[in-house]
């Protein structure tokens, strides 16, 4: 009986640790109509950028609220072609001018020192409603990828990717979070379940 109680207590403790260590993973999306080049081949039509980030790591960086770095950034192009960016990326919003940006990580300077890949300006109301935590949008933004020419020859799993034009852009998120226990938490939980099994085994032997 004592062994079973200890095992239950251990399992409860490890579950609590898992709850505290879990990451809040959210998918953010940028969709629109555009054109560009992927691995030397022109593309044109609807695109979808899927950004995966841990919204429990949002930080205030010199007037920018951002997730830095993102877990992943994947672009889906016409025909279902997907390309996952091989560089570190971040997602943020400027608290001064309501610009949402997909940017690179690394470099020096207050904003990473690297040019943003994708910027667009939200209305003041849409910007005020975005807080990285709840389901959001879709909200329209004004983009100008062509002029500042920053999303050019970006390394991806499918080759260099460039955007030349973009329009009808929407930004939104699911707001759904998924608990993701760390490897050490899984080990502790397995230990707790093992303790329960051992306690049950001993109880059966005692009864016999």
């Amino acid at each position: 009986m004592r062994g079973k109680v200890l095992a239950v207590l251990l399992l409860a403790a490890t579950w609590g640790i898992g709850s505290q260590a879990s990451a809040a993973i959210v998918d953010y999306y940028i969709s629109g109509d555009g054109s560009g080049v992927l691995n030397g081949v022109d593309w044109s039509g609807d695109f979808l950028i899927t950004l995966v980030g841990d919204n429990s790591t949002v930080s205030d960086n010199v007037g920018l609220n951002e997730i830095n770095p993102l877990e992943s950034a994947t672009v889906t192009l016409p025909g279902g072609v997907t390309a996952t960016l091989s560089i570190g990326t971040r997602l943020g919003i400027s608290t001064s001018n309501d610009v949402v940006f997909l940017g690179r990580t690394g470099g020096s300077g207050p904003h990473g020192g690297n040019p943003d890949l994708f910027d667009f300006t939200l209305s003041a109301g849409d910007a005020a409603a975005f807080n990285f935590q709840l389901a959001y949008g879709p909200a329209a933004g004004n983009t100008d990828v062509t002029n500042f020419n920053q999303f050019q020859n970006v390394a991806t799993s499918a080759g260099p990717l460039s955007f030349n034009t973009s329009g009808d852009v929407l930004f939104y998120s699911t707001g759904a979070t998924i608990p993701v226990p760390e490897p050490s938490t899984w080990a502790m939980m397995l230990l707790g379940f093992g303790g329960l099994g051992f306690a049950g085994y001993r109880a059966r032997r005692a009864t016999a």
Side-chain angles (χ1 to χ4, degrees):
M1 180 64 179
R2 183 185 300 173
K4 181 177 290 188
V5 171
L6 289 175
V8 170
L9 289 175
L10 178 60
L11 181 59
T14 57
W15 185 261
I17 293 172
S19 298
Q20 295 172 2
S22 62
I25 304 300
V26 180
D27 290 342
Y28 301 90
Y29 304 96
I30 302 171
S31 67
D33 179 77
S35 65
V37 180
L38 174 64
N39 202 30
V41 178
D42 292 339
W43 64 269
S44 178
D46 293 336
F47 67 85
L48 176 66
I49 302 175
T50 303
L51 310 173
V52 180
D54 182 350
N55 67 4
S56 68
T57 65
V58 174
S59 61
D60 185 357
N61 177 18
V62 194
L64 305 177
N65 291 326
E66 63 179 2
I67 299 176
N68 184 4
L70 289 167
E71 302 286 326
S72 66
T74 301
V75 182
T76 303
L77 299 175
V81 177
T82 60
T84 300
L85 274 60
S86 304
I87 61 173
T89 53
R90 58 199 176 100
L91 171 68
I93 182 169
S94 169
T95 55
S96 61
N97 59 7
D98 301 333
V99 171
V100 169
F101 61 87
L102 165 61
R104 303 172 187 255
T105 60
S108 59
H111 300 162
N114 284 321
D116 294 337
L117 299 176
F118 212 98
D119 288 24
F120 52 98
T121 304
L122 298 173
S123 69
D126 285 333
F130 178 58
N131 64 3
F132 289 97
Q133 305 300 324
L134 303 176
Y136 172 81
N142 299 319
T143 64
D144 200 2
V145 173
T146 302
N147 286 349
F148 49 74
N149 208 33
Q150 296 172 151
F151 205 131
Q152 294 294 312
N153 295 316
V154 175
T156 78
S157 59
L161 171 63
S162 299
F163 270 79
N164 295 329
T165 65
S166 65
D168 299 325
V169 175
L170 296 176
F171 176 64
Y172 52 102
S173 70
T174 60
T177 59
I178 306 171
V180 182
E182 298 174 354
S184 59
T185 304
W186 280 115
M188 290 293 288
M189 290 177 66
L190 289 174
L191 181 61
F193 282 118
L196 282 175
F198 181 69
Y201 169 75
R202 288 190 62 183
R204 287 194 300 273
R205 288 199 61 185
T207 301

